[in-house]
Amino acid sequence: MLLTVVPAHTGDNSNSKARSCSEVRQFYTGKGFTLNGVPQTEISGDHLRVCPQVYTCCTSSMEESLSALSRGELEGLVREAGRSLQASLNAQYRSFDTYFTELLSRSERSLQTSLGSLYSQNAALFSDLYADLRLYHRGSALNLDETLSEFWPRLLERVFRSSAQHLSLSEDYMECVAKQRETLRPFGDAPRDFKVKVMRAFVTSRSFVQGLIVSGDVVRKVSQVPLGSECTQALMKMVYCPQCSGLNSVRPCSRYCSNVMKGCLANQADLDAEWQSLIDTMLQVASSFSADPSLDVVLSSIPLRLSEAVRYLQENLGAFTAQVFQTCGSPGPTGTEGPSPVELRTQVSPTTGLRLEMQVSDLSSKLREMQQYWIQLPTALCSKLSAGAVAQEDCWNGMTKGSYPSEVMADGLANQINNPEVELDITKPDMTIRQQIMQLKISSNRLKNALDGNDVDFQDTSDDVSGSGSGMCVGGSCSRVSPRGRPGLYAYPPDNDPIRGLAPPPNRPSSLLLLLSLAALLLWR
């Protein structure tokens, strides 16, 4: 419900004859209240605690009821604005997630065609790889570096077994074969090249998705923060005291409204710095999607990378097998004939560079639009409530019809120390909002780490960033998905050699230490 001012004639409280309260009675019942105790004609306003104590049609009970109503209506407007922003963030999430998963699905279909019978014989291996990539993209806690490293020994086992069906290969023998991967490099440079490109693409894409989720959750929680008693009095005085004072058609002065809103939403405005920082970093992440090699090229070329790796092994299979026999011994024959070589088709999914460019442009445009949301909120709300700039001499200034003499306060809690309309204790910030400021700060740091190439763990946040109400679930799958527990093929460490251009995952402190450190920093500020 929007705050409204019901048009009526402008009263003059100097008249000796008491005026009728019929219009106020009509307005009051229109707000859902009963007429019990509402005067028929104006009475002395000595009993009023918020409104000017002039002749009035409002009783103390009416003043209390309208005060509560004004608070509820503004809280409703703030929630409505928040829901609109959440809807925009949710739409961006769905758009990007749909685009990304379509690229991945197209890539998987292309791999089936490229590998032919090798894919059909080992469908579980390849489908597991793509399933893990999807889980990671949507926020699963699986270690992508380990997942990619463990894929290659599994692929080696299957290709080697397929090429040596005429030989008796025990598990111990295959373990020895797998250990030769480090020195013999059966797939050439493909595993290293594959890892650096895929990790960069997926680390940044997942960080962007998580940034959208965190942003939406912050908006949801902050939009539900109740307004304080000081704000309630200021709202009543601005919105409904004109009714009680016989100035029914007079709307609040715009500068007056600005001071009331800046006071009521002072804590919310303190989100601005960290909110803008997060949006800035998300814009950088979105821009990185187009960097060479672009996101769509990386995902579309996964079949080509895997096909090249398998072809490299097939072309060098004789030399690799000889080295394996020399190191691991010659296994006995099974009596069956050797298989025919697997035919590979070089087919790569067509890239969609133009669509990626449009996707990034649209995402960036919408993020910029919401960058100043928290400091623009008071102005947006006053556009619904105040008289506007053209009526600054004939507007409600909190006492009567006229101009508003005070200057407009700056944004944020600390700047409300001299707010003439809302008395706030600037030493007592709202703790719910402070927690969300901290959440924005943590998310910005994680996004910056992702830009630097660091695999980012989003699972140790202080709150459930994809909790109920965030609306960031697609197709029944939310951002938190437990990874499949799949044991390593052989008991030796994965390929964790540092890759040029991709920083190793940092040693992260515990969540508690991180939160305590940030809390201390906020208190010090």
Side-chain angles (χ1 to χ4, degrees):
M1 180 188 296
L2 299 181
L3 293 163
T4 56
V5 179
V6 177
H9 72 277
T10 300
D12 183 355
N13 287 296
S14 63
N15 291 344
S16 57
K17 182 179 179 181
R19 292 192 306 268
S20 169
C21 291
S22 59
E23 291 180 348
V24 174
R25 288 166 63 87
Q26 181 180 356
F27 150 77
Y28 197 62
T29 56
K31 292 294 183 181
F33 301 111
T34 67
L35 291 176
N36 293 337
V38 179
Q40 296 284 350
T41 58
E42 288 182 326
I43 58 176
S44 171
D46 293 343
H47 57 280
L48 297 177
R49 296 183 178 182
V50 179
C51 298
Q53 294 180 334
V54 296
Y55 278 96
T56 181
C57 287
C58 291
T59 63
S60 296
S61 176
M62 292 173 66
E63 192 178 46
E64 291 176 3
S65 297
L66 291 172
S67 293
L69 177 64
S70 65
R71 181 188 66 237
E73 287 178 332
L74 180 59
E75 289 175 343
L77 284 175
V78 171
R79 287 193 298 270
E80 179 185 337
R83 283 193 293 268
S84 177
L85 182 55
Q86 277 184 271
S88 177
L89 288 164
N90 199 2
Q92 291 180 66
Y93 173 90
R94 288 197 305 269
S95 174
F96 181 75
D97 183 77
T98 299
Y99 168 73
F100 191 91
T101 52
E102 283 180 358
L103 279 178
L104 207 53
S105 296
R106 190 180 301 122
S107 172
E108 186 173 13
R109 290 193 297 270
S110 177
L111 181 65
Q112 296 178 31
T113 304
S114 298
L115 297 185
S117 61
L118 180 63
Y119 184 96
S120 59
Q121 293 165 10
N122 303 280
L125 173 68
F126 297 109
S127 62
D128 280 351
L129 173 64
Y130 277 91
D132 283 341
L133 292 176
R134 290 186 181 91
L135 288 174
Y136 180 84
H137 165 69
R138 290 198 173 161
S140 170
L142 67 83
N143 186 311
L144 183 58
D145 189 297
E146 291 181 1
T147 297
L148 296 178
S149 295
E150 291 170 359
F151 168 77
W152 295 102
R154 290 191 174 92
L155 179 60
L156 174 61
E157 180 206 19
R158 284 156 177 76
V159 175
F160 189 82
R161 281 187 182 277
S162 176
S163 65
Q165 293 179 9
H166 59 295
L167 300 176
S168 177
L169 303 175
S170 66
E171 290 300 315
D172 289 341
Y173 192 87
M174 288 307 301
E175 183 173 352
C176 180
V177 172
K179 289 179 179 179
Q180 308 315 306
R181 188 174 64 90
E182 295 295 320
T183 55
L184 300 181
R185 297 170 57 243
F187 297 110
D189 293 328
R192 185 180 297 275
D193 182 65
F194 183 79
K195 180 189 286 188
V196 68
K197 289 182 171 61
V198 169
M199 282 201 66
R200 272 204 175 279
F202 277 81
V203 166
T204 53
S205 69
R206 185 174 82 147
S207 71
F208 185 79
V209 167
Q210 293 295 323
L212 291 173
I213 292 173
V214 170
S215 301
D217 200 57
V218 167
V219 172
R220 176 178 64 85
K221 290 177 180 176
V222 172
S223 298
Q224 294 173 351
V225 172
L227 301 174
S229 58
E230 303 87 352
C231 175
T232 301
Q233 293 184 11
L235 285 171
M236 171 62 196
K237 186 177 180 181
M238 181 181 76
V239 179
Y240 290 129
C241 282
Q243 300 280 348
C244 295
S245 300
L247 300 170
N248 304 29
S249 62
V250 182
R251 296 170 67 88
C253 302
S254 61
R255 287 189 300 164
Y256 172 40
C257 181
S258 292
N259 276 340
V260 171
M261 291 301 166
K262 284 175 182 283
C264 287
L265 302 174
N267 282 282
Q268 286 84 340
D270 282 344
L271 288 155
D272 178 64
E274 293 302 330
W275 177 263
Q276 292 214 39
S277 176
L278 178 60
I279 298 296
D280 275 336
T281 311
M282 289 179 65
L283 287 169
Q284 294 177 47
V285 172
S287 178
S288 74
F289 295 152
S290 301
D292 188 35
S294 63
L295 180 68
D296 56 340
V297 168
V298 171
L299 269 63
S300 299
S301 63
I302 289 176
L304 176 62
R305 302 299 176 197
L306 296 180
S307 296
E308 288 176 343
V310 173
R311 180 176 287 108
Y312 183 93
L313 174 60
Q314 288 183 339
E315 291 174 351
N316 297 276
L317 190 60
F320 175 73
T321 302
Q323 290 288 338
V324 168
F325 287 174
Q326 181 177 346
T327 304
C328 303
S330 299
T334 61
T336 61
E337 295 184 1
S340 302
V342 176
E343 181 181 353
L344 301 176
R345 302 185 183 93
T346 303
Q347 177 175 333
V348 182
S349 301
T351 61
T352 53
L354 180 60
R355 186 179 173 190
L356 174 63
E357 184 178 333
M358 294 174 61
Q359 186 83 23
V360 171
S361 176
D362 185 58
L363 288 169
S364 300
S365 175
K366 287 182 169 59
L367 286 172
R368 290 189 183 97
E369 288 175 3
M370 63 182 64
Q371 195 160 14
Q372 295 186 324
Y373 172 80
W374 297 108
I375 57 174
Q376 290 178 344
L377 186 56
T379 302
L381 294 173
C382 282
S383 68
K384 302 175 182 288
L385 305 173
S386 69
V390 296
Q392 291 309 295
E393 300 300 322
D394 297 313
C395 50
W396 174 252
N397 60 19
M399 295 300 295
T400 187
K401 179 181 178 181
S403 61
Y404 182 70
S406 301
E407 295 297 321
V408 176
M409 298 292 102
D411 299 299
L413 182 60
N415 290 314
Q416 307 311 309
I417 189 170
N418 294 318
N419 192 318
E421 309 306 333
V422 187
E423 295 183 7
L424 293 173
D425 185 347
I426 65 171
T427 67
K428 295 181 179 179
D430 183 272
M431 294 312 298
T432 297
I433 292 178
R434 294 292 137 174
Q435 290 169 1
Q436 297 311 304
I437 291 174
M438 187 184 300
Q439 188 66 39
L440 293 173
K441 194 184 294 278
I442 293 171
S443 298
S444 293
N445 288 334
R446 286 176 171 151
L447 283 162
K448 290 171 184 175
N449 283 333
L451 275 174
D452 291 337
N454 297 324
D455 193 359
V456 184
D457 181 8
F458 286 92
Q459 301 306 307
D460 61 349
T461 54
S462 61
D463 223 343
D464 182 6
V465 297
S466 62
S468 60
S470 63
M472 297 296 187
C473 297
V474 176
S477 298
C478 299
S479 65
R480 276 195 196 180
V481 188
S482 298
R484 276 188 310 280
R486 198 163 48 238
L489 179 62
Y490 298 113
Y492 67 93
D495 178 14
N496 287 325
D497 293 340
I499 298 175
R500 183 177 303 172
L502 185 66
N507 293 325
R508 304 181 187 89
S510 69
S511 306
L512 180 58
L513 289 177
L514 179 60
L515 293 178
L516 288 176
S517 300
L518 288 174
L521 177 62
L522 290 173
L523 290 174
W524 179 81
R525 290 176 59 191

